[in-house]
Amino acid sequence: MVTRMWSGAAIWLGIVLGGMGCHEPPVKLSAANLDSATNMKSAAPRYWEHEPEKPAPTGYRKVALVEFAIEYVTEKLESMSDNQPGIVFHEFIPIGFVTSMAGAGRIRIQIDEAVRKEFPDELHKFFVERLEAEGMQLVPQESIRSTKAFKHLTLGKAGHVDVGHAFNVAGTDVGVPRLLVIEPAKGYGIILGTNDGRPVEQVEQELLKEIGADAALRVRFRLSVYRQVASMEKWSILRVTKSGSFGYHFAERSLISDETVVKKEEFVPVAGVIKQIDSDQYRQAIKKLYPPFLSMAVHTLAEQAVAVEATVAMRGTN
């Protein structure tokens, strides 16, 4: 009876998922052709998109970087297929819920805390240098944090565990995130909301008035492991707020390493597959992945930053 139930559910699920489509497999760094600045610029639109319903505003130079953090995906659901499902029903049908509770398809990733805390500062330094190279002027953190508006933001501590923002029924090309551990760069907090009930963007707009900046920027990059390799993941996000509008860009696809980083894995009932990560190998793999991934993110922002300027300049020549 159980076998027939599973077989029927699997067929039904296969039909539905087939109709909904699947994510394209993530790209290995060696096959991504991101070995030059020209290639990274041309590839950026394939990796970073704007949210259609909330496109990020354009035309800014003076930027307040209000948040910079790394979201480590430490628990996820993975299909055995190379193409992860486009819509995830696994836990929303009885047989799927039972198998998930037994641990099937559930992946838990053990990344050493010391390694987790290394990357936010390193990636922040790289990101800021690239922004400045593109002509952006960044407001000092001391000026941002001393504003009256900033005091209305609710901040989480390093190592904040987030369940609510992790899960997305649409999934990603590297599985469905279930749990995030968030680590901010030095001098930053993790923005969880506001202490007066207003949207974060409204507080940011107030902050912009106080410091005279063009835009506020909140940045989170997702890192994890997919199968046996390191991953910079889809749904990394760049939130942009200006005085009259706000929106965001998100990573549309993931980039994965060629090197394996998992030193041991075992299946534990209920918990699922536990993956122990080799810290040195993971560190080396991420160091190769993040320069092109972040460079494409900065190019996306820089292109939007000058969009209005370019339009105005063209009108002036007519």
Side-chain angles (χ1 to χ4, degrees):
M1 179 66 177
V2 173
T3 302
R4 285 199 300 271
M5 284 178 60
W6 168 249
S7 177
I11 292 170
W12 175 83
L13 189 57
I15 292 171
V16 174
L17 293 181
M20 290 296 189
C22 295
H23 296 281
E24 291 184 19
V27 183
K28 282 193 174 183
L29 181 60
S30 61
N33 193 27
L34 300 172
D35 53 354
S36 70
T38 300
N39 289 347
M40 284 186 278
K41 283 186 177 182
S42 63
R46 298 198 298 273
Y47 285 85
W48 288 91
E49 294 187 0
H50 66 262
E51 169 56 40
E53 296 180 4
K54 276 292 177 186
T58 59
Y60 49 87
R61 280 296 185 185
K62 187 176 181 181
V63 176
L65 185 55
V66 181
E67 179 187 58
F68 189 97
I70 304 299
E71 298 180 338
Y72 291 96
V73 181
T74 57
E75 183 179 327
K76 61 168 70 174
L77 298 174
E78 281 185 14
S79 163
M80 289 185 292
S81 167
D82 287 338
N83 297 71
Q84 296 294 316
I87 299 290
V88 180
F89 290 101
H90 183 65
E91 296 201 330
F92 301 98
I93 58 175
I95 192 68
F97 179 75
V98 171
T99 56
S100 179
M101 289 304 292
R106 183 175 292 179
I107 310 296
R108 299 191 183 218
I109 301 155
Q110 297 180 339
I111 302 172
D112 186 72
E113 183 180 2
V115 175
R116 287 203 323 261
K117 292 186 179 300
E118 279 180 32
F119 284 117
D121 290 346
E122 185 172 337
L123 270 64
H124 172 263
K125 181 176 184 293
F126 182 92
F127 186 77
V128 166
E129 288 174 351
R130 291 300 181 276
L131 282 178
E132 291 176 338
E134 292 284 357
M136 303 276 192
Q137 178 188 350
L138 272 73
V139 177
Q141 279 300 300
E142 297 78 15
S143 300
I144 294 171
R145 298 178 77 90
S146 64
T147 61
K148 292 180 181 178
F150 190 86
K151 293 175 176 57
H152 290 287
L153 296 173
T154 301
L155 304 179
K157 296 181 179 179
H160 175 77
V161 176
D162 193 328
V163 179
H165 290 91
F167 187 75
N168 186 328
V169 176
T172 76
D173 52 2
V174 287
V176 185
R178 288 286 305 275
L179 195 69
L180 304 175
V181 177
I182 307 173
E183 301 285 359
K186 185 178 180 180
Y188 293 83
I190 300 164
I191 297 178
L192 303 179
T194 65
N195 55 31
D196 58 9
R198 290 183 295 165
V200 171
E201 291 82 5
Q202 191 173 333
V203 173
E204 287 178 321
Q205 289 167 343
E206 221 174 70
L207 186 150
L208 293 175
K209 290 180 182 178
E210 288 190 62
I211 58 178
D214 301 322
L217 180 60
R218 281 180 284 150
V219 175
R220 290 190 184 184
F221 291 107
R222 281 193 182 180
L223 276 64
S224 191
V225 169
Y226 178 62
R227 306 299 197 225
Q228 299 290 312
V229 299
S231 53
M232 298 282 302
E233 298 202 348
K234 178 172 179 169
W235 281 110
S236 296
I237 193 164
L238 313 168
R239 293 183 173 90
V240 183
T241 298
K242 288 187 66 178
S243 59
S245 61
F246 61 88
Y248 59 89
H249 306 281
F250 64 91
E252 170 58 20
R253 65 190 315 183
S254 302
L255 189 63
I256 59 176
S257 70
D258 294 273
E259 304 90 346
T260 59
V261 299
V262 177
K263 65 179 178 182
K264 181 183 179 182
E265 65 176 52
E266 61 178 324
F267 178 79
V268 178
V270 180
V273 176
I274 311 296
K275 295 188 178 185
Q276 295 182 14
I277 308 307
D278 183 299
S279 295
D280 290 337
Q281 292 176 353
Y282 189 71
R283 186 181 288 111
Q284 292 170 18
I286 293 296
K287 283 177 179 290
K288 293 178 183 178
L289 287 176
Y290 81 70
F293 198 77
L294 269 63
S295 293
M296 290 188 289
V298 170
H299 176 69
T300 300
L301 288 169
E303 212 173 38
Q304 295 301 301
V306 300
V308 170
E309 293 177 13
T311 302
V312 170
M314 287 179 65
R315 287 174 180 168
T317 60
N318 294 333

